Amino acid sequence: MKEGFWGNYETGIWFQIDEHEMWLRRGGNAAKLGVPKDVIAEFSHYAARETLLPFVYRHAPVMRWRCHGESVTFEFCADDWGKPLALIRGWGTMFAGNFLLLRMVNFRDMEIRETLWKDWRR
């Protein structure tokens, strides 16, 4: 399982994608995700994935995640964990097995939380 996703934790929508940067830059995808137009207008100033993705996290209520077999890593930048966790919970309810490890990284303060799905549901 190596699937990738982008989601908006304000709207609750998410999309299964191929590669995070390429998908975001491609044909209106960022707008569908809910990235503001003024943020999209700045994309051309960020040639590298390593600079574009953190810029988008800071200026839009979005998160990306990638499945890595027995774990999934979620990355976002939010003042509050509530809405990102709700989006993760919604996705997990549909796809997670008991022993899937969820690794959540909030770039706001570099806090990292990890749990097995079975422990989250308690």
Side-chain angles (χ1 to χ4, degrees):
M1 182 160 87
K2 299 263 187 208
E3 292 87 0
F5 299 86
W6 271 110
N8 182 315
Y9 51 81
E10 288 289 334
T11 65
I13 62 169
W14 53 270
F15 300 93
Q16 186 169 354
I17 56 95
D18 48 7
E19 196 284 325
H20 289 98
E21 178 195 10
M22 292 186 315
W23 186 89
L24 201 59
R25 292 185 189 271
R26 191 180 311 130
N29 286 338
K32 286 192 308 191
L33 182 59
V35 177
K37 290 179 184 178
D38 61 325
V39 175
I40 295 169
E42 296 291 320
F43 281 14
S44 63
H45 296 19
Y46 298 89
R49 172 183 214 275
E50 294 76 21
T51 56
L52 176 66
L53 299 185
F55 168 75
V56 174
Y57 296 147
R58 285 190 313 272
H59 298 287
V62 299
M63 81 167 70
R64 74 178 187 115
W65 62 99
R66 170 93 43 209
C67 303
H68 304 281
E70 297 176 358
S71 69
V72 180
T73 300
F74 299 86
E75 297 179 341
F76 57 93
C77 182
D79 290 330
D80 180 72
W81 282 75
K83 290 180 181 179
L85 291 178
L87 183 61
I88 294 167
R89 183 181 305 111
W91 180 87
T93 299
M94 295 177 66
F95 296 105
N98 282 339
F99 295 98
L100 183 68
L101 175 67
L102 307 176
R103 183 172 197 265
M104 299 156 279
V105 181
N106 186 345
F107 288 115
R108 174 69 65 206
D109 55 9
M110 288 310 299
E111 183 177 353
I112 299 171
R113 298 181 183 178
E114 291 184 338
T115 187
L116 291 176
W117 178 247
K118 70 181 182 91
D119 296 331
W120 176 308
R121 295 182 319 167
R122 283 189 194 157

